[in-house]
């Protein structure tokens, strides 16, 4: 039915009833009493309307604390509509609050920083990543001007020029940040920050790796090509000299092969397509084989001992062989003749550990943190003499990472070094072995 009819028909009927009642009273009681009664009824209806109007005004001033009455007449429909509006409003408010919470949660999980500012750059909201990047705190700095929080001349110039289509690179707190301002709405701006420190470090490592690998391969190739040119230009070369050249070319070829094999090993260890295939590793047998390799390389120049007093492991036999052998053979390379090398497999305070202790040349403290970097050498000249590729400790690090172990290094120049591969605590190690055993 038409809403206007729903309102006017009942109101008109009420007025008609008042007039009809007054007319009946006029007939029986006379004009004075009937008009008085009619006036009294009209005053009562007016007071009732004013009462509901007051209740409506009071509710509009305090919608959360004042309850609407049920109403009478047309007020019943008015109040019922207000109830529906309030219920819908509360529902919409709850949905909006939920969406706002989801938005903030999503913004908090972003790897980039997000700062929401007004048109004059006052901070309204930021996510935790932006707090970490820019050194601000939402609870403390909300309402402050962002240019007072980011004290960088380059950022101030970026704001003044207003060329927001291009990002800005900033160095803040020894970190490289890429920032960009994105205007939205009429009175809002978003500042987005991206931490490029790690990606730059990885790019630098990649460039250094390519440069180092090229350099390491260039030297043996130069030697081999040089000797081949000599052999081609001098077919009647003295047999003794020819044999000397062939020996050197064989050594350089072996060096290139070792380098390529180590690079392939590192690539496999870092690849997600090369998962660890755990098996029970017979530690005594494995270490005995490494001991024989070390004694063959030493050729009697060192005292090498082996002590095995620990459990077997679940892991990759070949990976552990590569990691352990690199540590032992490094000790042989960098220990002068007559020195001592002790190899131990034992239970430590945190769990099983593989220890290689030598009386070699030792390492200065400033080099220890970088030893596991690819191609990093303390003494490049000596490394070439010992035929090292510069990748051994990088391989050790990745092997231990894949087995949940850590590498500890203690060394002093002239007093030798101790390399310690520390595996999980015994309880965690047993759980890991049970888990790996169930997967195997």
């Amino acid at each position: 039915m038409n809403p206007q009819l729903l309102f006017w028909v009942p109101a008109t009927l009420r007025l008609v009833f008042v007039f009809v009642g007054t007319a009946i009273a006029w007939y029986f009681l006379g004009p004075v009493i009937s008009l008085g009664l009619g006036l009294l009824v009209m005053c009562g209806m007016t007071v009732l309307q004013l009462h509901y109007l007051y209740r409506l005004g009071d509710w509009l001033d305090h919608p959360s604390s004042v309850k609407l009455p049920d109403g009478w007449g047309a007020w019943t429909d008015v109040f019922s509509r207000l109830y529906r509006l309030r219920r819908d409003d509360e529902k919409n408010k709850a949905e909006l609050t939920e969406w706002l919470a989801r938005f903030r949660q999503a913004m908090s999980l972003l790897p980039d920083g997000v700062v929401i500012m007004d048109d004059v750059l006052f901070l309204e909201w930021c996510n935790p990543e932006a707090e970490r990047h820019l050194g601000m705190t939402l609870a403390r700095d909300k309402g402050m001007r962002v240019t007072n929080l980011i004290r960088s001349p380059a950022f101030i110039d970026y704001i003044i020029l207003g060329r927001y289509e291009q990002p800005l690179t900033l160095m803040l707190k020894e970190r490289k940040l890429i920032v960009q301002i994105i205007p939205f709405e009429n009175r809002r701006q978003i500042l987005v920050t991206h931490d490029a420190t790690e990606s730059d470090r990885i790019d630098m490592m990649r460039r250094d790796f390519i440069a180092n690998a090229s350099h390491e391969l260039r030297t043996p190739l130069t030697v081999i090509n040089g000797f081949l040119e000599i052999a081609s230009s001098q077919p009647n070369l003295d047999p003794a000299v020819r044999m000397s050249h062939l020996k050197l070319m064989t050594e350089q070829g072996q060096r290139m092969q070792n380098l390529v094999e180590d690079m392939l090993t590192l690539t496999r260890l870092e690849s997600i397509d090369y998962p660890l295939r755990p098996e029970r590793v017979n530690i005594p047998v494995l270490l005995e084989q490494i001991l024989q390799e070390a004694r063959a390389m030493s050729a009697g120049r060192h005292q090498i001992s082996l002590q095995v007093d620990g459990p077997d492991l679940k892991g990759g036999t070949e990976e552990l062989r590569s990691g352990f052998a690199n540590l032992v053979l490094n000790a042989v390379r960098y220990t002068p003749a007559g020195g001592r090398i002790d190899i131990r497999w034992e239970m430590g305070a945190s769990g099983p550990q593989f220890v290689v202790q030598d009386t070699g040349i030792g390492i200065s403290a400033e080099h220890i943190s970088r030893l596991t970097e690819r191609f990093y050498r303390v003494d490049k000249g000596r490394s070439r003499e010992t035929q090292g590729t510069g990748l051994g400790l990088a391989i050790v690090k990745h092997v231990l990472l894949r087995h949940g172990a850590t590498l500890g290094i203690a060394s002093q120049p002239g007093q030798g070094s101790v390399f310690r591969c520390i595996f999980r605590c015994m309880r965690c190690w047993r759980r890991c072995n049970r888990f790996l055993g169930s997967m195997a």
Side-chain angles (χ1 to χ4, degrees), residues 13-26:
L13 288 175
R14 283 191 289 270
L15 290 175
V16 169
F17 289 150
V18 171
F19 287 131
V20 170
T22 302
I24 293 173
W26 186 305

Side-chain angles (χ1 to χ4, degrees), residues 177-223:
L177 297 179
I178 298 176
V179 303
Q180 186 169 13
I181 293 179
I182 305 172
F184 79 108
E185 296 183 348
N186 293 327
R187 300 176 59 84
R188 296 290 185 278
Q189 298 181 88
I190 295 179
L191 172 65
V192 180
T193 64
H194 174 71
D195 190 347
T197 307
E198 187 65 17
S199 59
D200 267 20
R201 187 185 68 83
I202 294 174
D203 287 341
M204 183 176 295
M205 288 177 57
R206 185 181 296 111
R207 291 193 298 268
D208 290 345
F209 175 74
I210 294 173
N212 288 326
S214 301
H215 177 74
E216 294 294 333
L217 289 171
R218 183 175 60 185
T219 300
L221 284 174
T222 301
V223 173

Side-chain angles (χ1 to χ4, degrees), residues 279-289 311-313 317:
E279 59 185 358
R280 182 162 295 279
V281 181
N282 190 325
I283 294 296
V285 172
L286 175 63
L287 295 185
E288 184 64 33
Q289 294 173 351
D312 289 343
L313 285 179
T317 301

Side-chain angles (χ1 to χ4, degrees), residues 319-330:
E319 291 185 17
L320 290 174
R321 182 197 307 277
S322 176
F324 292 171
N326 269 296
L327 292 178
V328 174
L329 299 181
N330 273 350

